[in-house]
């Protein structure tokens, strides 16, 4: 009965079924044991009665009858203990909001206003309700004529009717091969925060280098534990959300991935000076920070230079398609062409977008090339938005990408013109559906994307709309601190020095200290290698092994004596006595504290 009552509740039904199976197994053993006993007793009694009937002994018949009665009484006595010692919890009173089967799920859809009572018989669960990761899932076929978007737009009402947190609901159109326009996939988490509180370090922290063309950006995990990568080639991305919910961490992951590809050209512009992007000075071709009139004009000049550069690549592709069309069959820049033309992908990072636009709104910018023109100029914000949108449009197929970040998602900080040309959009927690639409667009929110349904505790969780038929996905982004990001930026600088691709701002940055950059990278790598190995000291030979394992391209062939000399030049001093280590009484080597102190100088 308990199994029947729990039908549809996957966890409880499974528990009761195991108990029921235990009862059945115990009953089979009971039947075997007592069938044997009954046969033996029955045979003995029958033999006694038969013997008594033949000999005519009344007393023998009476003894046999009393014996049969006694054996029956013994086996039929009242037992206070259950036959199976398995605790069976009483079935809790039925909660009308709890989903225990298809009927309950359809009732929840009615209560949420997704379907009407009259449409109940037209609504079906395709297959069964089944476990899926830390939750359960169901595919629902809606009544004829109802679009999937009509259901996904009421995910919050469905959460209310099911008595669960709104962040536990994921509801989207079924875009699978077997799906259709009137079918949705529902996933409900068992816990209010299925992403947990644990921070997951980015795999970029230990990566030696990265091919952005091939691998993209390792981004994070979804609620079911699946890993996801951001494919950014051929498109731009708009990133928004409230302050302190993780925008900088996601943007940092993109920049770190770009840093580890020495053939990528990165340009950085931020409307507010601060520590977030200082590390990119080590490898960025352009760097603009601030929102003064001079900075706004410098950013505008950067955009115009990038547009001209993108158009030049487009002209080369156009010429190539006429002369040798098979080399660019899709009309796009390819890795082979980029290598031949000695240029890679181009990434423009624009942070604090709202600060840049607010400052530009108070300016007049002349767009007429004639210095004698009497034109007083146009509103600076309009010019800036149009120029950024133009960059996105002209760079799409020639290896250009834009990452635009704003922390105040409203109509003024996320202009529609810019949002619409960004194929991918990502949004952290916001206060309402209107803000979600400002960043992700109406279509994505109607399809179930709901950053406004995230909880306050879900920092680092982002809703990524991937554009096209890929739909949206909700992820917890990987973690990377500013010091860790700086280490990667130093590594990116060294990779570009080795590849001969360090140009522009980074090539001129810190001219007086340029010679110290390589040793800073060495110190940072030594500290990171010891930390990753879980040790605080190492002999020179062991430290060299750790460096080669971590970055074989940079340290293969390095000898112990050369490593000691480079560390001495870097300010770490000579080797020190390490105490008992590696079976030796007191060998020489380096401590992590010693190397970290040198890195701070």
């Amino acid at each position: 009965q308990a199994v029947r009552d729990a039908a549809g509740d996957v966890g409880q039904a499974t528990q009761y079924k195991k108990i029921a199976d235990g009862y059945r197994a115990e009953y089979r053993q009971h039947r075997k044991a007592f069938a044997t006993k009954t046969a033996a007793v029955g045979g003995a009694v029958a033999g006694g009665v038969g013997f008594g009937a033949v000999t005519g002994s009344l007393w023998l018949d009476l003894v046999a009858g009393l014996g049969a009665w006694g054996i029956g009484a013994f086996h039929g006595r009242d037992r206070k203990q259950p036959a199976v010692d398995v605790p069976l919890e009483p079935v809790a009173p039925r909660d009308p909001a709890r989903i225990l089967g298809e009927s309950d799920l359809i009732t929840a859809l009615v209560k949420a206003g997704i379907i009407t009572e009259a449409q109940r018989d037209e609504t079906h669960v395709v297959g069964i309700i089944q476990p899926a990761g830390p939750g359960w899932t169901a595919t629902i076929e809606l009544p004829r004529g109802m679009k999937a978007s009509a259901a996904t737009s009421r995910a919050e009402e469905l959460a209310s009717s099911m008595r669960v947190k709104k962040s536990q609901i994921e509801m989207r159109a079924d875009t699978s091969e077997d799906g259709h326009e009137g079918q949705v996939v529902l996933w409900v988490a068992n816990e209010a925060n299925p992403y947990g509180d644990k921070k997951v370090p980015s795999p970029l922290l230990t990566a030696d280098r990265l091919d952005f063309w091939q691998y993209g950006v390792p981004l994070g995990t979804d609620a079911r534990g699946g890993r996801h990568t951001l494919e950014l080639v051929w498109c731009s991305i708009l990133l928004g959300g409230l302050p302190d919910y993780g925008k900088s961490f996601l943007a940092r992951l993109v920049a770190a991935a770009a840093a580890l590809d020495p053939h990528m050209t990165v340009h950085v512009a931020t409307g507010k000076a601060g520590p977030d992007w200082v590390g990119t000075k080590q490898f960025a071709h352009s760097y603009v920070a601030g929102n003064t009139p001079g900075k706004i004009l410098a950013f505008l000049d950067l955009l115009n230079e990038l547009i001209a550069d993108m158009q030049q690549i487009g002209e080369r592709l156009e010429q190539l398609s006429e002369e040798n069309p098979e080399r660019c069959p899709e009309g796009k820049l390819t890795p082979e062409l980029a290598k031949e033309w000695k240029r890679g992908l181009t990434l423009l990072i624009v942070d604090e977008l709202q600060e840049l636009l607010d400052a530009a709104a108070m300016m007049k910018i002349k767009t007429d090339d004639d210095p004698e023109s009497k034109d007083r100029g146009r509103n600076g914000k309009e010019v800036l938005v149009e120029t950024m949108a133009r960059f996105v449009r002209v760079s799409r197929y020639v290896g250009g990408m834009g990452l635009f970040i704003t922390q105040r998602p409203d109509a003024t900080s996320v202009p529609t013109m810019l949002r619409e040309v960004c194929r991918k959009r990502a949004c952290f927690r916001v206060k309402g559906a209107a803000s979600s639409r400002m960043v992700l667009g109406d279509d994505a929110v109607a399809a179930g994307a709901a950053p406004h349904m995230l909880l306050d505790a879900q920092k680092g969780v982002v809703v990524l709309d991937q554009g096209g038929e890929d739909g949206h996905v909700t992820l917890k982004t990987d973690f990377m601190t500013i010091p860790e990001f700086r280490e990667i930026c130093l590594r990116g600088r060294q990779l570009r020095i080795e590849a001969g691709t360090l140009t522009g701002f980074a090539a001129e940055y810190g001219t007086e200290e340029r010679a110290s950059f390589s040793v800073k990278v060495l110190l940072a790598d030594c500290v990171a290698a010891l930390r990753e190995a879980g040790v605080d000291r190492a002999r020179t030979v062991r430290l060299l092994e750790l460096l080669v394992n971590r970055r074989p391209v940079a340290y293969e062939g390095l000898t112990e004596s050369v490593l000691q000399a480079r560390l001495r030049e870097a300010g770490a001093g000579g080797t020190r006595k390490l105490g008992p280590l590696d079976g030796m009484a007191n060998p020489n080597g380096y401590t992590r504290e010693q190397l970290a102190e040198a890195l701070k100088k």
Side-chain angles (χ1 to χ4, degrees), residues 200-280:
V200 179
S202 170
L204 294 172
L205 297 177
T206 56
D208 183 60
R209 61 191 296 154
L210 182 137
D211 186 340
F212 206 95
W213 283 95
Q214 183 175 358
Y215 296 107
V217 184
L219 201 59
T221 55
D222 59 29
R224 307 179 210 190
R227 290 288 306 174
H228 289 261
T229 299
L230 174 63
E231 301 292 343
L232 202 53
V233 181
W234 315 130
C235 61
S236 293
I237 183 171
L238 176 66
L239 173 59
L242 293 172
D244 300 325
Y245 279 90
K247 294 185 306 302
S248 296
F249 289 103
L250 190 154
R252 213 173 282 153
L253 294 174
V254 176
L260 293 176
D261 186 337
H263 300 289
M264 278 196 74
T265 304
V266 180
H267 305 267
V268 178
T270 173
K272 186 167 60 178
D276 284 347
W277 299 104
V278 169
T280 61

Side-chain angles (χ1 to χ4, degrees), residues 404-486:
F404 303 94
I405 311 156
T406 180
Q407 64 172 318
R408 198 182 65 215
D410 55 29
T412 59
S413 62
V414 187
T416 303
M417 178 183 291
L418 179 59
R419 184 191 67 207
E420 292 304 313
V421 294
C422 292
R423 179 184 169 191
K424 297 195 176 185
R425 303 155 193 172
C427 189
F428 288 82
R429 183 174 183 264
V430 289
K431 291 184 177 180
S435 294
S436 294
R437 286 191 288 269
M438 287 294 174
V439 179
L440 300 179
D442 294 340
D443 292 341
V445 175
H452 55 284
M453 290 172 62
L454 295 173
L455 301 177
D456 184 65
Q458 290 178 317
K459 293 188 177 182
V461 178
V462 64
V463 179
L464 171 65
D465 179 39
Q466 303 176 87
E469 295 182 356
D470 294 334
H472 68 276
V473 62
T474 304
L475 307 170
K476 183 166 186 178
T477 55
D478 295 333
F479 187 73
M480 180 187 296
T481 64
I482 290 180
E484 290 170 336
F485 177 57
R486 183 176 182 276

Side-chain angles (χ1 to χ4, degrees), residues 54-363:
V54 172
T55 60
S57 175
L58 177 62
W59 288 107
L60 188 58
D61 289 341
L62 290 174
V63 170
L66 288 172
W69 177 85
I71 292 172
F74 175 78
H75 287 299
R77 72 190 187 281
D78 183 20
R79 291 174 172 83
K80 298 301 182 184
Q81 296 298 324
V84 183
D85 188 18
V86 179
L88 177 61
E89 298 178 3
V91 179
R94 182 176 174 80
D95 180 357
R98 191 171 187 178
I99 304 303
L100 299 179
E102 179 176 357
S103 176
D104 288 340
L105 180 54
I106 294 176
T107 298
L109 295 174
V110 173
K111 296 290 186 183
I114 295 175
I115 62 173
T116 65
E117 185 65 41
Q119 294 173 313
R120 176 186 289 272
D121 293 338
E122 295 183 64
T123 309
H124 308 283
V125 172
V126 179
I128 61 172
I129 300 174
Q130 56 188 326
W136 58 268
T137 186
T139 300
I140 305 167
E141 188 171 58
L142 299 169
R144 292 180 181 275
M146 177 178 287
K147 296 180 181 179
S149 58
T152 55
S153 63
R154 298 188 66 81
E156 193 167 1
E157 287 80 1
L158 180 59
S160 174
S161 71
M162 295 172 63
R163 296 295 189 264
V164 297
K165 295 282 188 182
K166 57 186 180 181
S167 60
Q168 291 176 247
I169 293 281
E170 283 188 10
M171 196 175 187
R172 68 185 66 211
D174 186 359
T175 57
S176 67
E177 186 176 341
D178 297 327
H180 56 75
E181 297 303 319
Q183 200 159 286
V184 296
V185 177
L186 171 69
W187 184 77
V188 181
N190 293 331
E191 304 293 335
N193 185 5
Y195 304 94
D197 299 322
K198 185 178 179 181
K199 296 176 180 177
V200 179
S202 170
L204 294 172
L205 297 177
T206 56
D208 183 60
R209 61 191 296 154
L210 182 137
D211 186 340
F212 206 95
W213 283 95
Q214 183 175 358
Y215 296 107
V217 184
L219 201 59
T221 55
D222 59 29
R224 307 179 210 190
R227 290 288 306 174
H228 289 261
T229 299
L230 174 63
E231 301 292 343
L232 202 53
V233 181
W234 315 130
C235 61
S236 293
I237 183 171
L238 176 66
L239 173 59
L242 293 172
D244 300 325
Y245 279 90
K247 294 185 306 302
S248 296
F249 289 103
L250 190 154
R252 213 173 282 153
L253 294 174
V254 176
L260 293 176
D261 186 337
H263 300 289
M264 278 196 74
T265 304
V266 180
H267 305 267
V268 178
T270 173
K272 186 167 60 178
D276 284 347
W277 299 104
V278 169
T280 61
K281 292 181 179 181
Q282 303 291 346
F283 68 92
H285 182 84
S286 305
Y287 184 88
V288 179
N291 56 16
T292 63
K295 298 291 185 180
I296 298 297
L297 293 175
F299 176 44
L300 187 60
D301 289 341
L302 168 61
L303 288 170
N304 287 323
E305 290 173 9
L306 287 174
I307 290 171
D309 184 42
M310 298 293 102
Q311 287 181 326
Q312 184 179 14
I313 302 174
E315 290 170 0
R316 295 185 70 175
L317 286 172
E318 180 181 353
Q319 181 180 356
L320 183 63
S321 66
E322 292 178 344
E323 300 171 353
N324 200 353
E326 62 275 8
R327 298 197 61 194
C328 52
E330 298 181 6
K332 298 178 181 179
L333 182 70
T334 65
E336 293 75 21
L337 288 174
K339 184 177 181 180
E340 179 182 329
W341 295 345
K342 295 183 179 180
R343 64 167 304 127
L345 298 168
T346 300
L347 174 65
L348 170 64
I349 299 173
V350 182
D351 194 11
E352 302 292 349
L353 179 62
Q354 74 286 347
E355 297 294 337
L356 291 170
L357 295 180
D358 286 349
M362 296 184 287
M363 298 172 56

